[in-house]
Amino acid sequence: MVSFFVCLVLLIVGYFTYGKVVDNTFGPDDRETPAVRINDGVDYVVLPQWKLFLIQLLNIAGLGPIFGAMQGALWGPVVFLWITFGTIFAGGVHDYFSGMMSERENGASVAEITGNYLGNTMKNIMRVFSVVLLIMVGTVFAVGPAGLIVTLFKNAGVSGIFATTLFWLIIILIYYFIATFISIDAVIGKIYPVFGVCLLVMAVGVAFGIVTNPNYVIPEIWDHLYNMHPSGTPIWSFMFITVACGAISGFHSTQSPLMARCMKSEKQGHFVFYGAMVCEGVIALIWAAAGCSIYEVTGGLNTGLSEILADGQSAAIYDVCIKTMGGVGVVLAMLGVIACPITSGDTAFRSARLTLADWLKIDQNSWVNRLKLCIPVLGVGAVLGIGNALGAIDYTVIWRYFSWTNQTLAMIVLWAASMYLFRNKKNYWITAVPATFMTAVSITYFCMAPECLGAFGIGATVAYPAGIIAAILFLGLFLRATKKPAPAANK
């Protein structure tokens, strides 16, 4: 349990120390923000700082730091290290720069920002990448909550249409359409702060339930500094892909522009972007600790955890809430674990609309123009979600492709941030180092994973060197670019 609390303290201290270093490196000032300058009443709306923080937290959280962290616990308490140091030196940096770079460019989507620093080819790649990722996220965060609602109703003895995934999926998709279409402060600005508090209360409740129950012992990192995965899945780089949102996630860069369009001052960035990521890291750490302590660990195998995870994320989260908080856990599971992924799903589809709007240069002040983009974006999500509910599409396949796409996007955004810092004659190593690391993670996984090149029998012997070589190559190309005269900076 000591190592858990050490990691918790490191996350909090990291916000006030390294987070401040990141903030000072960027250099926020008193310039007029897009929310003040444009203020269209739809996407550009000034919101108070506390709302910005809670909305950003819900935008980036969802099921990621909960279910992803529990999956990461299969590797044992070594996952605490990735959550802690990944959040401080990679995730927080990634979220901060994706938000602040967007703010400096009128709230532009991540694809447009990336293109400005990595070229038009990368801009077009990122446009497609972002839209596909956002629709997958929206679909994942519609199917998951629908499944949990069904689990709760069935456990309560309810049957009929209210105990079917398809019914609740349709209800969630209708809400997604409304939240994607109307002004950001009409629904999101009002209900997100409430659910943000629920997410935090649920995490505190789980932590309290673990710490106070003598039957739950959080294992120490130094006693289990080895791979405990029951299937022998290697830590590198599968754990770094699986535990995405709790350490670093490219999805966050697609969400940050939403709040970049609503900030009254640039000086809010440290709290809103870096702070929300640290808070998510804390949530992930708590749920990873739950996975490591509540379930049976025998002979190095997380047998009990792997069994509950096999029943799906809805069953796993419900089980933890019941075991740590009893009846209160059921209520929090309903309010937190249902609402939180839904509140990431709606903003995922909203971000997809804005990304397409930036790409196709379609003004979003007109409700007709918003409708033109909402219908196809939600239509694709509905096909994927309903296909899964009917058994035609495997949800786990969607999640696996999302995981790799997610971390690859994070890698690209960090390289774009490095070029931004170079052009502005600032310390680019704070982004170049995590960019290099994530390049190795992404390429290694792509070579080994069964849904990627691993399907052709490529193993660690090839994948590990390939990841290292790719990381060195990308870093070399970046350093070579820094030797050339920097183009005019977008300050």
Side-chain angles (χ1 to χ4, degrees):
M1 188 176 296
V2 173
S3 55
F4 166 75
F5 282 108
V6 169
C7 289
L8 184 61
V9 170
L10 285 173
L11 281 168
I12 296 170
V13 172
Y15 167 77
F16 290 103
T17 56
Y18 196 72
K20 200 59 184 175
V21 170
V22 172
D23 192 43
N24 290 337
T25 299
F26 179 85
D29 55 35
D30 295 322
R31 73 184 65 194
E32 194 174 51
T33 63
V36 176
R37 185 171 59 256
I38 299 174
N39 204 329
D40 63 0
V42 179
D43 298 310
Y44 294 86
V45 179
V46 175
L47 295 175
Q49 180 171 275
W50 66 272
K51 277 193 176 183
L52 291 169
F53 172 82
L54 288 173
I55 293 172
Q56 175 71 3
L57 177 61
L58 280 175
N59 285 351
I60 66 177
L63 292 177
I66 298 174
F67 191 64
M70 287 187 68
Q71 287 181 308
L74 287 169
W75 280 276
V78 67
V79 73
F80 297 169
L81 296 176
W82 170 230
I83 291 172
T84 302
F85 294 105
T87 295
I88 295 171
F89 297 107
V93 176
H94 167 275
D95 288 15
Y96 179 87
F97 276 97
S98 60
M100 296 305 289
M101 288 165 61
S102 173
E103 187 276 333
R104 286 280 171 97
E105 300 192 28
N106 291 327
S109 61
V110 65
E112 307 306 308
I113 296 169
T114 303
N116 289 343
Y117 297 99
L118 300 181
N120 286 329
T121 299
M122 184 57 70
K123 178 186 290 187
N124 290 324
I125 292 173
M126 285 289 286
R127 283 168 169 169
V128 176
F129 221 67
S130 299
V131 173
V132 170
L133 175 65
L134 288 165
I135 291 176
M136 284 196 293
V137 169
T139 302
V140 166
F141 288 162
V143 174
L148 183 54
I149 293 172
V150 171
T151 299
L152 293 171
F153 272 100
K154 286 183 177 178
N155 288 340
V158 177
S159 59
I161 190 172
F162 291 105
T164 62
T165 302
L166 182 60
F167 172 78
W168 289 108
L169 181 61
I170 292 173
I171 295 298
I172 291 170
L173 288 171
I174 291 173
Y175 162 73
Y176 279 179
F177 182 86
I178 295 170
T180 301
F181 179 74
I182 65 177
S183 170
I184 193 168
D185 62 340
V187 173
I188 293 174
K190 288 182 171 59
I191 66 172
Y192 270 41
V194 177
F195 292 132
V197 172
C198 290
L199 177 64
L200 295 174
V201 170
M202 182 174 60
V204 171
V206 170
F208 185 79
I210 298 170
V211 173
T212 57
N213 192 322
N215 296 318
Y216 301 149
V217 179
I218 303 175
E220 303 294 358
I221 297 172
W222 42 82
D223 292 332
H224 302 83
L225 198 58
Y226 55 89
N227 186 356
M228 299 177 68
H229 200 287
S231 302
T233 304
I235 292 175
W236 182 264
S237 62
F238 285 81
M239 187 185 75
F240 299 91
I241 292 289
T242 301
V243 187
C245 294
I248 179 173
S249 168
F251 168 65
H252 298 183
S253 67
T254 67
Q255 300 301 287
S256 293
L258 294 180
M259 292 302 95
R261 300 179 186 216
C262 299
M263 294 168 56
K264 184 177 181 179
S265 168
E266 283 195 346
K267 295 177 182 178
Q268 296 173 330
H270 177 224
F271 180 63
V272 173
F273 298 120
Y274 198 95
M277 182 61 231
V278 168
C279 190
E280 184 175 31
V282 170
I283 293 170
L285 184 66
I286 291 170
W287 281 89
C292 288
S293 61
I294 294 175
Y295 301 98
E296 180 185 4
V297 180
T298 305
L301 303 181
N302 286 285
T303 51
L305 178 57
S306 60
E307 289 170 4
I308 191 66
L309 288 173
D311 293 333
Q313 54 183 265
S314 302
I317 296 167
Y318 180 85
D319 192 60
V320 170
C321 288
I322 286 291
K323 288 180 175 177
T324 55
M325 293 176 284
V328 176
V330 176
V331 176
L332 288 174
M334 291 179 67
L335 292 176
V337 188
I338 293 173
C340 293
I342 289 176
T343 52
S344 285
D346 58 9
T347 50
F349 283 117
R350 189 181 187 92
S351 295
R353 169 176 70 80
L354 293 173
T355 299
L356 286 171
D358 286 349
W359 182 357
L360 303 174
K361 302 295 188 293
I362 299 177
D363 179 50
Q364 294 298 281
N365 287 343
S366 164
W367 68 268
V368 175
N369 286 344
R370 294 201 300 277
L371 199 61
K372 289 178 182 177
L373 298 180
C374 284
I375 290 175
V377 165
L378 269 297
V380 174
V383 170
L384 291 174
I386 294 173
N388 171 258
L390 297 176
I393 299 175
D394 187 354
Y395 172 85
T396 58
V397 172
I398 297 175
W399 182 266
R400 286 200 302 267
Y401 279 107
F402 155 70
S403 297
W404 175 76
T405 305
N406 188 41
Q407 299 302 64
T408 302
L409 178 59
M411 172 197 82
I412 295 170
V413 171
L414 283 169
W415 283 122
S418 300
M419 286 302 301
Y420 167 86
L421 290 172
F422 161 65
R423 291 186 184 182
N424 286 279
K425 297 180 174 59
K426 297 180 178 180
N427 177 21
Y428 49 73
W429 287 109
I430 62 171
T431 52
V433 170
T436 303
F437 180 82
M438 292 309 300
T439 300
V441 167
S442 181
I443 299 302
T444 301
Y445 183 85
F446 183 75
C447 292
M448 286 185 67
E451 61 269 17
C452 301
L453 295 184
F456 300 99
I458 297 177
T461 305
V462 174
Y464 285 6
I468 294 172
I469 291 170
I472 294 173
L473 177 62
F474 275 60
L475 178 60
L477 290 172
F478 170 73
L479 292 176
R480 181 183 177 186
T482 64
K483 304 304 180 184
K484 300 177 182 178
N490 293 324
K491 295 185 177 180

